[in-house]
Amino acid sequence: MESNVKVQKQEGAKVCLMSPDQLRNKFPWINTEGVALASYGMENEGWFDPWCLLHGLRQKLTSMGVFFCQGEVTRFVTSSQRMMTTDDEMVTLKSIHEVHVKMDHSLEYQPVECAIVINAAGAWSAQIAALAGIGKGPPGTLQGTKLPVEPRKRYVYVWHCPQGPGLETPLVADTSGAYFRREGLGSNYLGGRSPAEEEEPDPANLEVDHDFFQEKVWPHLALRVPAFETLKVQTAWAGYYDYNTFDQNGVVGPHPLVVNMYFATGFSGHGLQQAPGVGRAVAEMILKGSFQTIDLSPFLFNRFYLGEKTQENNIM
């Protein structure tokens, strides 16, 4: 935690570390049992409505002439050439020339000629990559390296608790992985917890498991905030993470062999927070041939083949 805060301060974030006593004095409703240290953001902290942000971005893009078309990619038409690497390995370079898209409410597909394909298909981006032949080569080779992104189902719960923390409540992430924040002004709270690897729910549907809240979320909430003993769940929903099973971090930039496919995927729950920066980085890579504003080379596809993980400590 000290290392993370040091990095945040170097980047200009107004954060501080608090002892259990300091934490208890500032937020008397917190039970500090088991807490050695807390990190607290003092300025420019908050949250936003993701759907409103996406809607706003989409409206702006439409006003600038971007055309949105909804459909399912079913096939890529590619050309290829063989070349020798510096390691005397023969590889095949591919370039995508045409994308076949099955339109909604239609039995026909629409061929779309293209110079560049950006794979930002979220939880389904590995399927799109496979259509381009990514991961189809011999195991242990770059050609045989798959995009390690898969859908993971996550639950979000909203509960009511009149005796709960007041309006000064920040977003709280507990040592157990449980998190919550206030939702509006009416003593409602929003939160949840990511399941352990052995608890992963079936991603085949978006049904909510209410027992998961009762057994895996609520006990941690009630321990950290005793007032939550009396909470009542009001509503809940489920959604998908584009979960990177390799190191839980994003994949940004071009594929080394499918030379005109660029990735912006695998963010494992951080996607919308990082989206503006990632969008800029991918645009720079396409237009300039390299990252300009921020060097995102640790997030290139090559790391899966090289076995070089880019991991972050204390993520939720």
Side-chain angles (χ1 to χ4, degrees):
M1 184 172 283
E2 289 175 340
S3 175
N4 284 351
V5 166
K6 182 179 179 181
V7 171
Q8 291 161 7
K9 284 185 174 180
Q10 286 173 348
E11 296 303 318
K14 297 295 190 288
V15 295
C16 69
L17 291 171
M18 302 170 69
S19 69
D21 287 342
Q22 290 171 322
L23 182 63
R24 197 181 305 111
N25 288 336
K26 186 165 183 63
F27 303 112
W29 41 265
I30 285 185
N31 171 21
T32 57
E33 177 186 340
V35 174
L37 203 60
S39 173
Y40 176 64
M42 297 179 287
E43 289 183 11
N44 302 319
E45 296 286 345
W47 48 83
F48 56 86
D49 184 320
W51 289 113
C52 285
L53 176 61
L54 286 171
H55 182 67
L57 289 171
R58 184 173 178 134
Q59 281 192 313
K60 179 62 176 178
L61 290 169
T62 300
S63 74
M64 297 171 69
V66 173
F67 175 70
F68 284 91
C69 173
Q70 178 127 0
E72 179 185 355
V73 174
T74 59
R75 180 172 174 248
F76 293 114
V77 178
T78 64
S79 62
S80 61
Q81 66 179 83
R82 304 265 291 170
M83 67 171 290
M84 189 77 71
T85 69
T86 53
D87 299 327
D88 294 329
E89 179 185 355
M90 187 65 72
V91 297
T92 301
L93 297 182
K94 286 185 179 180
S95 183
I96 299 169
H97 299 292
E98 190 175 88
V99 183
H100 289 187
V101 182
K102 184 180 180 301
M103 308 302 294
D104 287 355
H105 313 298
S106 173
L107 297 177
E108 303 293 327
Y109 69 81
Q110 179 69 39
V112 180
E113 293 183 0
C114 62
I116 290 168
V117 172
I118 300 174
N119 186 343
W124 301 272
S125 54
Q127 298 174 29
I128 300 299
L131 287 176
I134 293 171
K136 300 287 186 167
T141 66
L142 184 55
Q143 288 177 296
T145 302
K146 298 180 179 180
L147 178 66
V149 175
E150 62 183 43
R152 293 284 180 96
K153 184 164 72 169
R154 295 291 180 264
Y155 309 117
V156 178
Y157 303 90
V158 176
W159 60 88
H160 184 66
C161 184
Q163 295 79 34
L167 294 177
E168 85 289 356
T169 306
L171 184 147
V172 177
D174 184 45
T175 53
S176 65
Y179 70 91
F180 73 90
R181 64 166 173 80
R182 283 186 66 96
E183 175 74 349
L185 303 176
S187 299
N188 292 319
Y189 303 83
L190 178 150
R193 179 175 180 251
S194 291
E197 197 70 28
E198 66 274 9
E199 300 168 342
E200 284 290 349
D202 183 359
N205 60 66
L206 287 178
E207 294 178 3
V208 174
D209 183 355
H210 290 277
D211 289 338
F212 181 79
F213 182 85
Q214 294 296 323
E215 298 168 9
K216 304 294 184 180
V217 184
W218 182 41
H220 297 290
L221 293 173
L223 175 63
R224 190 59 60 215
V225 183
F228 282 159
E229 284 278 3
T230 60
L231 66 77
K232 288 186 171 26
V233 175
Q234 304 286 79
T235 186
W237 63 89
Y240 290 117
Y241 276 7
D242 51 333
Y243 191 84
N244 177 353
T245 60
F246 181 73
D247 59 12
Q248 294 82 59
N249 259 312
V251 191
V252 184
H255 188 269
L257 300 179
V258 183
V259 294
N260 62 340
M261 176 176 278
Y262 294 77
F263 295 107
T265 185
F267 298 102
S268 307
H270 311 134
L272 197 55
Q273 301 167 52
Q274 299 173 344
V278 168
R280 182 177 189 137
V282 173
E284 290 172 349
M285 178 64 77
I286 291 170
L287 296 172
K288 303 287 188 178
S290 64
F291 298 124
Q292 304 286 312
T293 308
I294 305 174
D295 181 12
L296 297 187
S297 54
F299 303 101
L300 289 169
F301 182 95
N302 288 13
R303 75 185 194 271
F304 305 134
Y305 169 65
L306 298 172
E308 298 175 350
K309 295 186 176 183
T310 300
Q311 288 188 303
E312 180 183 356
N313 294 321
N314 297 332
I315 61 173
M316 50 181 263

